[in-house]
Amino acid sequence: MWKRILSYLATVYLLSACGSGSETAGLPEQVEVPITTSPPVVELQSKPEITYSSSLQDDIVSFVEVAQQIRFFYPSDSVANTHWDVFIAEAIVKLSQMSKQERLAESFQILHSIAPHISLGVTIPNEPSEESRVSSWLANSSSDDSVFTRKLISGTYKSLQGDIRHAQEWFFTTHLYNEPLHIPLYLNEHESSHGSIYNGYDTYDMSHSIDETELCMSAASHIWAEIQHFWPYFSEVDVNWKPEHKEMLSACLLEDPKDTWQTIFASMNLLQDQHISIHLPRHISPSRSFEWILPFRPYIVEGKAIITRIHPDALNLVELGDELVTIDNEPIEQVIERNAQVILTSEHNAKYRSLKSLFLRRDDTQIEATLKKVDGTTYTVLFEPLPISAMAQRYTGNRLVYRYDYMHKVLDEGVHHLVLYKLSQSALSQVREQLSSAKGIVIDLRHYPEDFFAWLHALGWFSSQEISSAPIYEHWQRAPNQSSSNVQRLFQFIQPKGELIDKPIVVLASRDSISQNEHALAYIQNAGLPIMGEATAGINGNIQEQSVFSGPDNGGVTFIYTGLQVTQNDGSSLIGVGIQPDMAVPISRESIVEGTDNQLTRAVEYILQQQ
């Protein structure tokens, strides 16, 4: 066990992502299966016109769901090297040309060409003998990289099944159009080389752009399937994900592609994962076709939409601290709620992120806004959005969550401000020496750290004992639908670094503290240091990034989601909740008006009270 822990610790210090990592232990007598490909050369037909009846849509969902299960769990060279997104897009067209009665046989034949050892009906695959050499997937992810593992492994059936990260059954039964279909999870080595590799369209002349209905369906299904098979938070987030597959595929039939992806965004928001991001070609993205901006920036402060920054061209229109009440006679609460449906967010931060995104506009149509001053006086202004290039000009007012450019500064009465998110490795020795004269220290973690190794080292200054991270779990997916996951905890520690800095300390956190911030804050909690400020964003764990049809620059899509599960220190949910401060100090409307950092001010007061 300790060998695994030490191996993991060696791995994690090579990472600079979201504060988590993984490792892969070697398996006896196992080698990776070699992979080869050869694209077919064929004369392609024009794609026919397709009418998507309700029956056809249901059959497509059933077919694609099985195809994705084979994609990720059938252990063969052909599966590993097939261009699945293209394969699924063209298969949808092929199925559309069949009658309802023909689709079962055609669907099975299409899948069987790549995975010839699947079986339909009552016949199940034979179980390999203990000493036979077999191939199987070892995977805690859909792809293999420095953090995550997905490898086609060869070894004896006994040795592979003896590793609890591998499938514990030799096959999985799913359903194709309500008929049982059996997918081998182990194949004899010679069988794993069987099957055709699908490299490109073999029948129809189709594009690689998700503007095309079938490619949109393929992309939506890919996104759904990655979540279905590899997203690690279903035990914490109450969501019925399976029905969303049909919702997402059906969205591709909507006339306006922006409506399509707005619908898909709504499905993704059910997951409450603030790492989730979907990058689309600009012309179809619900959230990227912006060329204009408001001349001021409103944020949620004290539960209201408060003006926090103003463009020079609008200084005669509004004032810092004014409350935005309506836009074009629509209450701002309704505007925020409506906008939250077209952005990717979570319930925990929906209002904040929705209002933040309202700053961006799609056109320069004149806007009428009603605002309210601190004394309750209301007034109405008419204004036109500015071109997005106007963002280059300096706005009056500060960022909502103060951001400092220095790493260290001495404040009033000997209190030191350590801006941990700015700290660099090259400055560690100098900053530590400066802190030796501090009467107390405010550690600032309100923004994402710029140097992973710097904060990791610096936190060792403030504890005389080893500090553990929050619980981190990798999920080894041994069968489709996470029906047989093996969940293993990963261990990370920070060791004391030199003589303990034993002074009054408080740590600042904010609504913008996310992922690696929260990883650091969990260490801070375990070190017994108090946290002040606001609840954090509520998501941690290394991300997965996948591109479909070569990403948005080539007409496709790139999507991101969280691939490791991280909880609070006590095992309760972090996702959608965030780390709660020991002392709640929200940003105040008064501080916006006065241009002060009320959180830092309160932190200094707290330090002085401890002396």
Side-chain angles (χ1 to χ4, degrees):
M1 179 64 176
W2 282 105
K3 287 184 178 179
R4 290 201 70 211
I5 294 172
L6 293 172
S7 173
Y8 173 69
L9 288 173
T11 301
V12 74
Y13 282 91
L14 298 177
L15 305 178
S16 59
C18 295
S20 307
S22 67
E23 57 87 25
T24 305
L27 298 175
E29 301 182 340
Q30 296 172 6
V31 295
E32 293 185 34
V33 177
I35 291 172
T36 59
T37 62
S38 55
V41 179
V42 295
E43 184 175 348
L44 302 177
Q45 308 171 27
S46 297
K47 190 184 77 173
E49 292 292 327
I50 301 173
T51 300
Y52 284 95
S53 66
S54 176
S55 173
L56 176 57
Q57 291 180 53
D58 288 341
D59 287 350
I60 288 171
V61 171
S62 178
F63 169 82
V64 174
E65 187 171 316
V66 174
Q68 299 288 9
Q69 292 171 343
I70 292 171
R71 171 187 199 162
F72 292 122
F73 295 96
Y74 184 95
S76 75
D77 298 356
S78 55
V79 162
N81 287 281
T82 282
H83 192 322
W84 281 94
D85 299 320
V86 170
F87 167 80
I88 288 171
E90 187 172 45
I92 290 171
V93 179
K94 292 176 181 178
L95 294 179
S96 74
Q97 302 307 294
M98 303 290 159
S99 67
K100 175 74 174 176
Q101 293 72 27
E102 295 172 317
R103 281 186 205 134
L104 175 61
E106 178 66 14
S107 295
F108 180 76
Q109 186 57 44
I110 291 172
L111 295 170
H112 189 267
S113 65
I114 295 176
H117 296 286
I118 59 173
S119 56
L120 193 64
V122 297
T123 303
I124 65 173
N126 293 323
E127 183 174 12
S129 64
E130 285 190 350
E131 298 306 318
S132 60
R133 292 192 64 81
V134 296
S135 295
S136 180
W137 285 108
L138 178 68
N140 60 15
S141 167
S142 65
S143 59
D144 191 69
D145 57 30
S146 61
V147 177
F148 296 101
T149 299
R150 175 172 165 81
K151 295 182 184 296
L152 192 56
I153 300 294
S154 178
T156 66
Y157 181 54
K158 181 179 180 180
S159 69
L160 294 190
Q161 263 207 334
D163 183 334
I164 59 174
R165 298 173 299 171
H166 276 285
Q168 298 300 289
E169 301 292 336
W170 71 93
F171 72 97
F172 175 84
T173 299
T174 185
H175 287 84
L176 180 64
Y177 309 150
N178 297 319
E179 292 293 326
L181 184 143
H182 312 291
I183 301 173
L185 303 179
Y186 290 91
L187 285 175
N188 288 317
E189 276 189 333
H190 70 279
E191 294 175 335
S192 70
S193 63
H194 296 170
S196 301
I197 297 173
Y198 184 98
N199 273 328
Y201 300 123
D202 62 15
T203 303
Y204 296 107
D205 186 10
M206 300 170 65
S207 73
H208 284 78
S209 169
I210 57 174
D211 284 341
E212 200 165 344
T213 298
E214 296 74 31
L215 279 80
C216 174
M217 287 183 169
S218 179
S221 179
H222 185 162
I223 294 170
W224 175 88
E226 292 246 358
I227 298 298
Q228 174 76 358
H229 299 305
F230 297 104
W231 190 65
Y233 282 100
F234 281 118
S235 63
E236 297 187 59
V237 179
D238 184 17
V239 55
N240 184 7
W241 186 242
K242 186 177 173 65
E244 296 305 312
H245 196 195
K246 183 175 181 179
E247 291 292 324
M248 294 168 72
L249 266 63
S250 297
C252 293
L253 301 176
L254 298 175
E255 185 174 345
D256 187 340
K258 290 187 176 68
D259 293 336
T260 293
W261 289 96
Q262 181 175 325
T263 301
I264 292 171
F265 282 12
S267 291
M268 300 301 285
N269 281 343
L270 296 174
L271 302 172
Q272 306 296 305
D273 182 348
Q274 290 200 77
H275 276 151
I276 287 178
S277 180
I278 297 178
H279 303 279
L280 300 161
R282 180 174 293 276
H283 70 284
I284 66 173
S285 172
S287 58
R288 285 189 64 199
S289 52
F290 299 113
E291 301 294 339
W292 305 87
I293 57 172
L294 293 180
F296 49 77
R297 299 205 73 155
Y299 284 100
I300 296 293
V301 177
E302 297 180 357
K304 300 175 181 178
I306 301 299
I307 306 302
T308 63
R309 304 183 79 186
I310 306 172
H311 189 272
D313 291 354
L315 289 173
N316 62 335
L317 292 177
V318 298
E319 294 183 351
L320 294 175
D322 288 354
E323 177 189 354
L324 184 59
V325 179
T326 69
I327 291 181
D328 291 331
N329 296 314
E330 183 180 8
I332 192 63
E333 293 81 8
Q334 293 181 18
V335 177
I336 292 171
E337 183 177 354
R338 176 165 44 79
N339 190 58
Q341 298 173 12
V342 301
I343 64 171
L344 289 165
T345 185
S346 71
E347 292 179 8
H348 176 54
N349 263 347
K351 286 186 177 181
Y352 170 55
R353 297 183 74 168
S354 175
L355 184 58
K356 182 178 179 180
S357 71
L358 282 176
F359 173 70
L360 300 169
R361 314 296 290 182
R362 289 194 172 88
D363 57 51
D364 61 347
T365 302
Q366 189 179 62
I367 296 171
E368 178 181 305
T370 302
L371 296 102
K372 183 187 295 185
K373 293 188 174 297
V374 175
D375 63 8
T377 304
T378 61
Y379 64 98
T380 300
V381 294
L382 292 172
F383 60 90
E384 294 179 354
L386 303 173
I388 201 165
S389 59
M391 288 180 66
Q393 293 181 263
R394 184 174 179 83
Y395 278 53
T396 297
N398 297 299
R399 294 176 61 122
L400 177 67
V401 179
Y402 260 73
R403 187 178 188 93
Y404 295 91
D405 292 329
Y406 56 79
M407 289 181 275
H408 170 268
K409 186 175 182 179
V410 180
L411 305 177
D412 295 339
E413 301 187 54
V415 177
H416 288 218
H417 186 202
L418 173 59
V419 185
L420 201 56
Y421 58 82
K422 292 292 294 184
L423 187 63
S424 66
Q425 294 175 76
S426 61
L428 284 170
S429 296
Q430 178 185 356
V431 170
R432 183 184 173 98
E433 177 62 27
Q434 290 170 329
L435 292 175
S436 63
S437 63
K439 293 182 178 179
I441 303 169
V442 178
I443 299 175
D444 201 332
L445 261 172
R446 289 180 289 178
H447 293 283
Y448 197 87
E450 296 179 5
D451 190 328
F452 176 85
F453 299 103
W455 71 256
L456 202 65
H457 180 100
L459 289 185
W461 299 339
F462 306 106
S463 178
S464 60
Q465 299 178 334
E466 179 180 78
I467 317 169
S468 66
S469 70
I472 304 168
Y473 301 95
E474 56 184 0
H475 291 232
W476 295 94
Q477 304 301 346
R478 305 183 294 189
N481 305 327
Q482 303 195 38
S483 56
S484 179
S485 298
N486 172 248
V487 181
Q488 297 191 15
R489 181 170 177 178
L490 305 176
F491 294 88
Q492 295 183 15
F493 304 94
I494 291 177
Q495 302 298 330
K497 299 294 192 300
E499 184 179 352
L500 173 68
I501 297 179
D502 187 13
K503 302 173 186 291
I505 293 172
V506 69
V507 182
L508 288 176
S510 79
R511 63 184 79 178
D512 283 343
S513 299
I514 186 171
S515 196
Q516 194 179 127
N517 291 67
E518 293 170 302
H519 192 52
L521 288 165
Y523 278 117
I524 283 165
Q525 285 182 320
N526 283 332
L529 302 178
I531 296 174
M532 177 183 289
E534 298 177 301
T536 62
I539 191 63
N540 189 14
N542 287 75
I543 60 171
Q544 270 282 1
E545 180 174 336
Q546 301 292 340
S547 289
V548 186
F549 301 116
S550 302
D553 291 342
N554 297 289
V557 56
T558 294
F559 64 98
I560 295 169
Y561 64 95
T562 309
L564 284 176
Q565 180 188 13
V566 183
T567 68
Q568 306 268 16
N569 283 316
D570 63 2
S572 62
S573 291
L574 172 70
I575 186 170
V577 177
I579 291 176
Q580 304 300 310
D582 300 295
M583 294 166 280
V585 180
I587 296 166
S588 69
R589 188 174 182 180
E590 181 182 10
S591 71
I592 300 299
V593 175
E594 296 178 352
T596 58
D597 184 353
N598 70 295
Q599 293 177 322
L600 180 59
T601 299
R602 179 67 189 95
V604 171
E605 292 173 354
Y606 171 82
I607 292 294
L608 295 176
Q609 290 168 1
Q610 308 309 304
Q611 295 177 0

